[in-house]
Amino acid sequence: MDYKNTLLLPDTSFPMRANLGENEKQRFYKWFDKNYAYEKIKQKRKNANKSFTLHDGPPYANGHIHIGHALNKILKETIIKLHYFQGEKVRFTPGWDCHGLPIEQQVEIKIQDKKHLLSKNQIRELCREHAKEFVNIQKQEFKDLGIIADWDKPYLTMDFTFEANIYRTLCQIAKKGLLLERSKPVFWSWAAKSALAEAEVEYQDKEDYSVFVSFDLDQISCEKLGVKKASAVIWTTTPWTLLANQAIALNPDEIYVLTKEGFIFAKALLKNMVEKNLTTGEIEKEFQAKDLEKLEAINPLNSRKSILILANHVLMEGGSGLVHTAPGHGEDDYYACLKYDIETIMPVDDSGCYDETLRLKKLLPQDLLDEFIGLHVFKANERILELLGEHLLHSSKFIHSYPFCWRTHKPVIYRATKQWFIVMDELKNGNTLRECAKEQIAKVKFYPQSGIKRIGSMIENRPDWCISRQRVWGTPIAFFRDKNSKKVILDDEILEFIADIFEKQGSDAWWSLEIKDLLPPNSKYEAQNLEKINDILDVWFDSGSTWNAVLKSCNYDAGELPADMFLEGSDQHRGWFQSSLLTSVAINNQSPFKSILTHGFSIDEKGQKMSKSKGNVIAPNYVAKTYGVEILRLWVLLSDYSSDLKISDNILKQVSEQYRKIRNTIRFLLANINDLNDLNVKEFSFIDQWILSKAKMVFKNTKESFRNYEFAKGFNYLLNFLSSYLSGIYLDISKDRLYCEQKDSLKRRSTQVAMALITKELFNILAPFFTYTIDEALEHSNKIIKNNDIADVFDLSFNEELNIAFDIEDKFLLEAREKFFEKIDILKKDKIIRSTLELKLYTTSSFILNLDKDEMIDWFMVSDISIDENNEILSEFEVNNEKFIISKAKEYKCPRCWRFKAIKEECLCDRCSKVLDL
């Protein structure tokens, strides 16, 4: 007889094959139809006592999303859902940075030679269209990843109301006295023809000259030193700036020497100079640095005077101890010369070429002007070294880390121009902005904790924030200046009138309207006496104002200020985190965030940065189509996101295997509880008590890790439990009692209820992470899992727990089972047995024998356990000096349950006979 039809075999409509690439789209469409999922999240928690605000940092509206965007948004949405499923009110208002150079450059490529024919506002309109196009593209790409957010009302920094609020943020900072206009060297991108902020600079290796040049002291200076001839030997890595030299800087705490050759060096570096054959090292005289202060040397390129000054930035780590100083080409140079009232000369134009200043300031002889004016500075180095002649004492090349423009990827220069700065060290209510920012950052919680050191040191050392740009596409620094006095007008009535215009017409109005139309009626200022400032704001100021324009303005249903969390890549310690912190502290004296979580960058499996040229780029849409979005999510969650995350097809295949384990475990559970009608059970069997106690402990640790955003750690707990204990032991053990026992037997019901409780809790735990999979699984679940109040995944609760209290000591049992199966592997390999059901286990262990015998038979998956051994010994082992003997069972194989418990061949065992009522 075929007894298969008498078994209670598992049954579920939940498919083993997820077919994620196809099926996910359909569920996502349902979630985004009329914003169903997001609106349900809002309505479900509208009366919640606690709220959680994660403020979305805006990606840039240019190009398609890459794997880094996906990583970022998946982390954000996961954390938001985690708080939602914990019963908190959450909001997720996504946003985009829409202004800035890359968009403007893309438009310039499109219009090419027509640029000079178009007005600023026509170019701005093209930029606006370009940004809008990519906002829509990226929005759909994020939705294709199943990211649940308020996609119907995102924030865009180019929206009229938003531009008005960016401008209001600027005005508030200006009125606090923290906004100053001054001529000062800043990072200048000659390729983009604009100033750059610190956050817009990336460092790459660059080859440069290292040169030592002699500047002869003039006769008066030599007489002061009591020598006939002396030369200050300066060191520089930028020969092209020698034309603008105004001073030579010395360390005030060092001793300087005059050598027999008539050269002046720092005594601490004399040995280095000997090694370079610049001197034999024979000293004629020694001087304190202050003895040399204000002496004058002669620039060999133009015969202009160069004053010797003292400056703390001169180090003894290299060079000669005397540093060439051009205040227009370096921040340290600028501040050092400021103390001596030395003029800042800037002979370089916007495109990085020498200009007419060479002629006006006589920075080169007349016969060389035509050669140099219009020449790019980086092409001038070799010619300048040639012109130095005998004054060039030593020249070599070296590779060093150099600032590059992060947009154009060209090396930048330091260039003094008139710019707008948010000042870090002006007193504000008794403290400077730097001090206030450091005070606030100390109150912020960081994930990982090391983040506080990184941003803290950056705030400690950062220069004033240059916020002005000389471009077209951005929010204007919309201030008027008095034509005569050049004073900036910060009149409240005018500022708010302009803000109101921006709110209605957009900031294009600054260029399209005349001054008289930008002044409020009956203004005390006359339009003919005013002029516009035409710089625009650094795009980092735009994004740094989002806390004000999004969270504080009430224009968006985006959450509360300060936000509970800002979450971005670790590069934003010097970018968005800082710009947001500084604007908020400047205005409110408060951080806009309570915590910061940072993640690393995506790299290939070899640890290399992704690039199209290397062919190692993996796009989110490729992963979604090939593997599924759930696999992309699990890749994020299994990775240590605090460092760089490796991704490749091999890695994604491994992640897919982990997903299959989770999915198949869920499928097995659902299939075996499909006929369970309630959760009533008189008493749990020992093995069910064991798995429930194990599950409770693991689920508790998993949840604790997840609440601390330690996702990889939490999934490590969970996957180990599913693999080692639930699937590896319990589900295997349970098959006999589920399939072969009477349908309503106490033993089978105990196991089914245990499985149902674990399934419910597993769904609650996984809901924030595998929202798609759990939503799908719920559709295939019976009423025991769903209850009457669970329509879909968004009705689950992370806060529910297994309400059980079993204290099971399993160390001995697990060790015994592990050693038993080590022996079984050998017996199977030697083809002595095919199944453990062929066996009988003998033991002297009182621990085992004092437990329920049937439970221990199931634990070892044998046909019998006994204290007496009188069969042939197949194998044996010991645990804690307790002996175990493995032998063949004497009885016959039951054709229904396959246990060797039948009294003769082809007969049913007693248990199966009773079940079938035979």
Side-chain angles (χ1 to χ4, degrees):
M1 178 179 175
D2 185 359
Y3 290 101
K4 184 177 179 181
N5 292 333
T6 71
L7 299 175
L8 300 170
L9 295 176
D11 182 30
T12 180
S13 56
F14 184 58
M16 182 185 296
R17 290 181 61 82
N19 200 12
L20 295 172
E22 288 298 319
N23 294 338
E24 283 174 330
K25 296 176 187 175
Q26 299 165 27
R27 194 167 301 272
F28 295 162
Y29 179 81
K30 173 188 167 186
W31 286 355
F32 298 127
D33 185 29
K34 298 178 182 177
N35 217 12
Y36 165 79
Y38 188 74
E39 288 303 319
K40 179 161 186 177
I41 282 174
K42 283 172 63 177
Q43 290 302 313
K44 190 83 177 174
R45 300 286 186 263
K46 64 181 178 181
N47 297 320
N49 295 323
K50 191 177 179 184
S51 66
F52 178 82
T53 298
L54 190 156
H55 179 45
D56 187 32
Y60 197 64
N62 187 35
H64 294 269
I65 67 169
H66 52 66
I67 205 74
H69 288 118
L71 159 65
N72 179 267
K73 277 291 195 289
I74 286 170
L75 267 179
K76 287 174 179 174
E77 190 229 34
T78 297
I79 288 174
I80 286 166
K81 288 191 298 190
L82 179 61
H83 283 270
Y84 164 76
F85 284 109
Q86 290 180 86
E88 297 172 35
K89 184 189 298 181
V90 295
R91 295 290 184 270
F92 192 13
T93 298
W96 274 272
D97 245 337
C98 303
H99 295 132
L101 181 62
I103 291 172
E104 191 174 335
Q105 285 179 324
Q106 289 299 312
V107 167
E108 286 178 351
I109 290 170
K110 288 179 184 177
I111 60 178
Q112 294 183 345
D113 297 338
K114 297 177 185 176
K115 181 181 177 181
H116 68 282
L117 300 173
L118 301 176
S119 68
K120 278 190 175 182
N121 277 353
Q122 286 174 316
I123 294 172
R124 285 171 63 86
E125 184 56 38
L126 292 173
C127 290
R128 191 178 296 278
E129 289 172 8
H130 181 93
K132 185 178 179 181
E133 176 189 354
F134 279 98
V135 165
N136 291 330
I137 288 171
Q138 291 185 8
K139 183 194 295 185
Q140 187 56 52
E141 289 173 337
F142 283 130
K143 290 169 81 170
D144 288 344
L145 297 180
I147 303 295
I148 298 169
D150 192 1
W151 297 114
D152 288 352
K153 196 178 180 185
Y155 72 83
L156 311 179
T157 58
M158 67 179 179
D159 283 347
F160 293 173
T161 304
F162 208 106
E163 288 183 331
N165 279 319
I166 294 171
Y167 177 65
R168 288 190 176 103
T169 305
L170 175 69
C171 293
Q172 285 178 278
I173 292 173
K175 286 186 282 186
K176 295 275 187 180
L178 295 175
L179 185 66
L180 294 181
E181 185 186 28
R182 63 180 179 222
S183 183
K184 176 178 174 288
V186 293
F187 287 123
W188 184 268
S189 173
W190 50 267
K193 297 183 180 179
S194 180
L196 300 178
E198 188 96 358
E200 294 175 301
V201 170
E202 59 186 15
Y203 286 83
Q204 298 178 26
D205 284 347
K206 180 177 182 289
E207 185 179 62
D208 271 321
Y209 284 95
S210 171
V211 300
F212 294 84
V213 180
S214 63
F215 277 48
D216 296 338
L217 268 61
D218 64 11
Q219 187 177 349
I220 295 173
S221 297
C222 288
E223 289 173 359
K224 287 180 180 178
L225 293 179
V227 297
K228 289 185 178 180
K229 184 181 178 184
S231 297
V233 178
I234 64 95
W235 173 70
T236 183
T237 60
T238 54
W240 62 268
T241 64
L242 285 169
L243 300 182
N245 173 277
Q246 290 285 78
I248 298 171
L250 291 75
N251 187 305
D253 301 318
E254 293 293 328
I255 295 172
Y256 286 81
V257 297
L258 177 69
T259 66
K260 186 179 180 181
E261 296 84 5
F263 296 142
I264 297 174
F265 303 107
K267 187 176 183 180
L269 291 166
L270 186 59
K271 184 180 178 183
N272 292 5
M273 300 301 95
V274 172
E275 290 174 356
K276 292 186 184 297
N277 294 320
L278 300 186
T279 175
T280 60
E282 190 174 338
I283 298 172
E284 291 282 329
K285 278 191 174 186
E286 291 189 6
F287 309 97
Q288 296 291 329
K290 63 182 180 181
D291 297 334
L292 303 173
E293 186 180 16
K294 294 187 179 179
L295 297 183
E296 291 182 342
I298 301 166
N299 188 333
L301 289 170
N302 51 32
S303 300
R304 287 171 56 90
K305 292 293 179 71
S306 181
I307 186 170
L308 274 63
I309 62 174
L310 306 183
N312 290 319
H313 71 272
V314 179
L315 303 177
M316 296 298 117
E317 295 173 358
S320 63
L322 297 91
V323 176
H324 148 63
T325 301
H329 290 300
E331 190 167 22
D332 288 333
D333 298 25
Y334 171 80
Y335 283 117
C337 289
L338 203 61
K339 295 176 183 177
Y340 291 86
D341 198 26
I342 295 172
E343 181 188 8
T344 298
I345 293 176
M346 176 42 55
V348 180
D349 66 15
D350 291 0
S351 57
C353 298
Y354 291 117
D355 63 15
E356 286 291 332
T357 308
L358 296 184
R359 193 186 310 276
L360 294 173
K361 293 292 181 179
K362 298 181 179 178
L363 301 184
L364 275 175
Q366 187 74 25
D367 61 327
L368 293 174
L369 291 175
D370 289 343
E371 178 186 349
F372 275 82
I373 293 174
L375 179 68
H376 194 283
V377 294
F378 288 159
K379 295 180 179 179
N381 282 327
E382 287 76 12
R383 181 66 172 125
I384 286 173
L385 297 185
E386 185 183 333
L387 292 171
L388 285 169
E390 63 182 14
H391 290 276
L392 178 61
L393 304 181
H394 182 84
S395 173
S396 61
K397 285 188 174 182
F398 73 115
I399 304 290
H400 66 144
S401 182
Y402 190 86
F404 278 65
C405 172
W406 79 328
R407 298 297 192 193
T408 63
H409 305 295
K410 301 290 186 183
V412 303
I413 59 176
Y414 254 110
R415 180 171 179 265
T417 57
K418 210 162 193 179
Q419 302 290 343
W420 290 90
F421 296 87
I422 293 177
V423 290
M424 296 296 296
D425 298 308
E426 292 287 321
L427 283 176
K428 169 183 175 284
N429 299 327
N431 290 314
T432 65
L433 179 56
R434 191 186 309 278
E435 290 166 342
C436 292
K438 285 163 59 180
E439 184 182 300
Q440 286 298 308
I441 210 72
K443 300 175 183 178
V444 175
K445 185 171 179 61
F446 285 84
Y447 304 93
Q449 185 58 35
S450 58
I452 191 169
K453 292 181 181 177
R454 187 170 184 192
I455 193 171
S457 65
M458 288 177 175
I459 291 168
E460 176 72 44
N461 299 306
R462 71 160 294 143
D464 295 337
W465 179 9
C466 176
I467 63 164
S468 49
R469 298 291 179 270
Q470 292 66 50
R471 301 294 302 186
V472 174
W473 179 228
T475 306
I477 300 178
F479 297 145
F480 292 121
R481 196 195 307 275
D482 184 281
K483 283 183 179 177
N484 297 318
S485 68
K486 300 302 179 183
K487 182 182 176 184
V488 175
I489 309 299
L490 295 177
D491 178 84
D492 285 347
E493 188 182 17
I494 293 177
L495 299 180
E496 190 51 41
F497 187 76
I498 292 170
D500 288 342
I501 290 174
F502 286 1
E503 203 161 305
K504 296 181 183 72
Q505 303 178 40
S507 63
D508 291 357
W510 184 245
W511 289 278
S512 62
L513 297 181
E514 294 181 26
I515 292 177
K516 64 182 179 62
D517 300 317
L518 292 164
L519 291 174
N522 304 316
S523 172
K524 61 184 178 182
Y525 293 92
E526 297 290 336
Q528 64 267 22
N529 296 330
L530 303 176
E531 60 187 11
K532 293 178 184 178
I533 291 169
N534 285 318
D535 291 340
I536 63 167
L537 282 166
D538 170 15
V539 73
W540 287 106
F541 191 92
D542 285 20
S543 58
S545 306
T546 58
W547 61 265
N548 196 9
V550 178
L551 298 179
K552 193 177 181 182
S553 69
C554 299
N555 292 328
Y556 303 87
D557 183 14
E560 300 173 358
L561 184 70
D564 293 279
M565 179 178 284
F566 275 29
L567 187 164
E568 297 301 330
S570 54
D571 58 331
Q572 296 307 317
H573 283 298
R574 70 186 183 103
W576 188 54
F577 298 150
Q578 268 198 69
S579 63
S580 300
L581 176 73
L582 294 178
T583 55
S584 180
V585 170
I587 294 170
N588 303 319
N589 200 27
Q590 182 186 40
S591 167
F593 40 74
K594 297 176 186 175
S595 70
I596 281 179
L597 187 147
T598 54
H599 60 79
F601 303 97
S602 52
I603 52 177
D604 71 13
E605 62 184 339
K606 296 178 182 176
Q608 294 183 330
K609 186 178 178 181
M610 291 189 173
S611 70
K612 290 180 180 178
S613 61
K614 290 179 182 175
N616 61 352
V617 171
I618 292 186
N621 63 347
Y622 165 78
V623 181
K625 290 175 183 176
T626 310
Y627 300 96
V629 174
E630 293 290 74
I631 307 306
L632 186 60
R633 288 176 179 273
L634 187 55
W635 165 71
V636 173
L637 298 167
L638 289 176
S639 304
D640 176 10
Y641 61 76
S642 64
S643 58
D644 290 344
L645 291 78
K646 292 183 178 180
I647 188 169
S648 66
D649 277 306
N650 287 332
I651 291 169
L652 289 168
K653 285 172 185 173
Q654 293 168 24
V655 173
S656 297
E657 284 302 313
Q658 299 285 45
Y659 173 78
R660 270 192 281 274
K661 286 179 185 176
I662 296 170
R663 185 181 181 90
N664 289 338
T665 300
I666 290 172
R667 186 173 185 272
F668 186 92
L669 292 168
L670 291 178
N672 283 286
I673 58 176
N674 68 325
D675 61 349
L676 186 66
N677 296 318
D678 59 60
L679 295 175
N680 297 325
V681 61
K682 287 184 179 179
E683 184 181 1
F684 285 110
S685 73
F686 174 81
I687 289 175
D688 295 326
Q689 290 180 30
W690 168 76
I691 196 63
L692 286 170
S693 64
K694 205 79 178 171
K696 183 174 183 177
M697 179 187 70
V698 170
F699 290 163
K700 180 184 177 184
N701 290 338
T702 300
K703 284 184 174 181
E704 185 179 350
S705 296
F706 287 164
R707 288 188 176 110
N708 291 323
Y709 313 125
E710 296 173 319
F711 302 128
K713 184 178 178 182
F715 269 98
N716 186 50
Y717 282 135
L718 194 59
L719 286 166
N720 183 56
F721 168 71
L722 295 181
S723 179
S724 300
Y725 300 107
L726 190 66
S727 297
I729 299 178
Y730 179 72
L731 298 184
D732 217 16
I733 287 172
S734 300
K735 289 175 183 176
D736 178 81
R737 56 185 69 187
L738 288 167
Y739 304 167
C740 302
E741 290 286 333
Q742 193 86 31
K743 182 177 180 180
D744 57 355
S745 73
L746 296 179
K747 196 172 185 180
R748 184 171 188 270
R749 170 167 281 276
S750 170
T751 298
Q752 282 190 301
V753 172
M755 282 185 171
L757 293 175
I758 289 170
T759 303
K760 286 167 71 72
E761 181 65 348
L762 195 57
F763 281 12
N764 287 325
I765 288 174
L766 291 176
F769 310 101
F770 290 147
T771 311
Y772 165 85
T773 299
I774 301 306
D775 196 40
E776 181 194 3
L778 281 169
E779 290 179 354
H780 300 273
S781 301
N782 66 10
K783 64 178 183 178
I784 293 303
I785 301 301
K786 292 176 73 170
N787 300 337
N788 294 325
D789 56 345
I790 297 177
D792 56 34
V793 66
F794 304 107
D795 293 321
L796 296 178
S797 171
F798 193 82
N799 294 332
E800 288 190 17
E801 293 184 357
L802 281 173
N803 189 22
I804 54 168
F806 302 122
D807 185 15
I808 304 294
E809 176 52 58
D810 65 354
K811 184 178 179 182
F812 182 85
L813 282 172
L814 290 170
E815 190 174 345
R817 195 175 193 278
E818 183 181 359
K819 289 197 173 182
F820 171 74
F821 276 97
E822 285 175 3
K823 300 297 181 181
I824 294 304
D825 287 343
I826 296 170
L827 292 174
K828 285 184 175 180
K829 186 178 180 181
D830 294 341
K831 297 184 179 179
I832 296 171
I833 64 166
R834 296 173 68 182
S835 165
T836 57
L837 294 177
E838 300 172 34
L839 303 175
K840 185 173 185 177
L841 186 62
Y842 299 90
T843 182
T844 59
S845 168
S846 57
F847 184 86
I848 297 286
L849 296 171
N850 285 334
L851 294 171
D852 185 283
K853 182 179 178 181
D854 284 344
E855 292 292 289
M856 291 301 98
I857 288 172
D858 285 351
W859 180 258
F860 291 99
M861 298 174 69
V862 294
S863 286
D864 197 10
I865 286 183
S866 172
I867 192 171
D868 299 316
E869 185 277 314
N870 55 7
N871 273 19
E872 177 190 354
I873 298 173
L874 299 180
S875 188
E876 54 188 323
F877 60 93
E878 287 189 3
V879 179
N880 293 350
N881 298 319
E882 300 283 3
K883 195 171 184 181
F884 290 83
I885 295 173
I886 301 170
S887 298
K888 279 280 186 89
K890 292 180 179 179
E891 292 80 2
Y892 296 93
K893 181 179 180 181
C894 172
R896 182 172 180 271
C897 70
W898 296 1
R899 285 189 175 184
F900 281 68
K901 298 286 282 184
I903 58 173
K904 58 182 180 179
E905 284 191 32
E906 298 305 317
C907 280
L908 297 177
C909 65
D910 285 347
R911 190 265 309 264
C912 289
S913 294
K914 290 175 184 176
V915 169
L916 298 183
D917 197 22
L918 296 176

